[in-house]
Amino acid sequence: MVNIIVIIFALLIGSFLNVVIYRIPRKESVLWPGSHCPACEQGLKIGDLMPVISYVWLGGRCRYCRDRISPRYLLVEILTVITFLLVFLKWGISVETGTGWIFTAILTITAFTDLDEGIIPDLITCPGIVIGLLLSPYMIGIKSSALGAIIFSGICISIAILSHGGMGGGDIKLAGFIGTFTGYGGSMITLIIASVAGGIWAAILLWQGKAHRKTAIKFGPFLSVAAWLVWMYEIEILISIFGYSLYTY
Ligand SMILES: [Zn+2]
């Protein structure tokens, strides 16, 4: 029963995250005006705004102009349900769950604005850093949180300088935000996972001829996914790498 309430809550949040992902990079208000079709500007009614259901019912098209709606809307809603439910199943009714949901929501926004527009908005990451520091006493402690932000963003600044712009300002602030939630240890694991995954992705694109050596790979989605996995499964990841021996001594 509680799980069903969480699913409905996550669907509504996912629907709101879609609005944020579309509007923030375009510098539009997320609260006003109400949702409208990007193609025909028609205002959408409650029947058009049911998460997942409306998309499937309308065959992924606008009811009014029949223009295709980006599958990203459906993807974000489903992803929000899965991630919110996993956080809830792990932590139950607790501060950790609330913290995890905030972390998940912000990472979802940064991953998809980077995918869609190549932007990781300061308007999301900078307040995110403040939120991470404010919530840190309930998680990893203020010291670990602040160190995480400084060290992770510092490493990313170094990479940006050494690679002559291979990493953008958006990635650096995103790393700072992630550091406030994962601490510096978790940040290092996040960076390793994101780099390996991003490297494999770049190699696939090169191999398929869809990229050349100067093509910039969007790093935000890799950082976001890696950070979420580390926040949720850091212990399991460490054990799978180093084995149980790390914890028996
Ligand atoms: Zn339309």
Side-chain angles (χ1 to χ4, degrees):
M1 183 61 202
V2 187
N3 290 348
I4 292 168
I5 295 170
V6 171
I7 290 170
I8 293 169
F9 173 71
L11 281 171
L12 295 173
I13 295 292
S15 183
F16 177 69
L17 294 181
N18 270 317
V19 174
V20 175
I21 290 162
Y22 182 80
R23 293 191 183 184
I24 293 285
R26 291 173 176 77
K27 310 233 183 302
E28 296 175 11
S29 163
V30 293
L31 297 175
W32 188 89
S35 295
H36 49 85
C37 168
C40 67
E41 301 288 324
Q42 171 70 45
L44 301 180
K45 300 183 184 71
I46 190 82
D48 310 321
L49 293 169
M50 302 297 284
V52 180
I53 299 166
S54 294
Y55 188 95
V56 175
W57 180 253
L58 296 169
R61 290 177 182 277
C62 169
R63 188 197 297 274
Y64 308 98
C65 68
R66 305 302 299 160
D67 202 47
R68 275 198 72 80
I69 302 166
S70 166
R72 189 255 295 158
Y73 285 87
L74 185 65
L75 184 63
V76 167
E77 284 162 359
I78 292 172
L79 212 55
T80 307
V81 169
I82 294 170
T83 50
F84 271 43
L85 200 56
L86 284 172
V87 169
F88 180 73
L89 291 176
K90 179 155 184 169
W91 304 103
I93 299 169
S94 65
V95 180
E96 282 87 349
T97 292
T99 305
W101 284 351
I102 292 169
F103 192 48
T104 305
I106 294 179
L107 291 175
T108 306
I109 296 169
T110 54
F112 283 95
T113 56
D114 200 11
L115 278 176
D116 275 12
E117 307 292 332
I119 293 170
I120 300 174
D122 290 350
L123 206 58
I124 300 297
T125 48
C126 293
I129 291 171
V130 177
I131 292 169
L133 290 172
L134 288 175
L135 288 172
S136 65
Y138 306 101
M139 314 178 296
I140 56 176
I142 185 87
K143 192 178 153 198
S144 187
S145 179
L147 270 178
I150 293 164
I151 292 175
F152 201 7
S153 55
I155 289 173
C156 289
I157 290 170
S158 317
I159 296 172
I161 293 169
L162 291 173
S163 66
H164 301 287
M167 193 174 265
D171 294 316
I172 293 166
K173 280 163 250 174
L174 174 59
F177 161 70
I178 291 168
T180 63
F181 278 80
T182 59
Y184 56 90
S187 294
M188 295 307 98
I189 307 170
T190 300
L191 183 60
I192 292 166
I193 295 174
S195 303
V196 171
I200 293 170
W201 179 239
I204 292 170
L205 290 182
L206 277 172
W207 180 57
Q208 292 188 332
K210 286 178 182 165
H212 50 89
R213 287 189 52 207
K214 288 276 162 67
T215 307
I217 300 290
K218 286 172 181 173
F219 200 45
F222 291 104
L223 277 177
S224 301
V225 173
W228 190 82
L229 290 174
V230 167
W231 193 84
M232 280 290 285
Y233 307 111
E234 185 171 1
I235 304 293
E236 290 87 342
I237 291 169
L238 283 175
I239 289 173
S240 70
I241 296 171
F242 298 107
Y244 280 95
S245 57
L246 188 69
Y247 290 90
T248 49
Y249 293 107

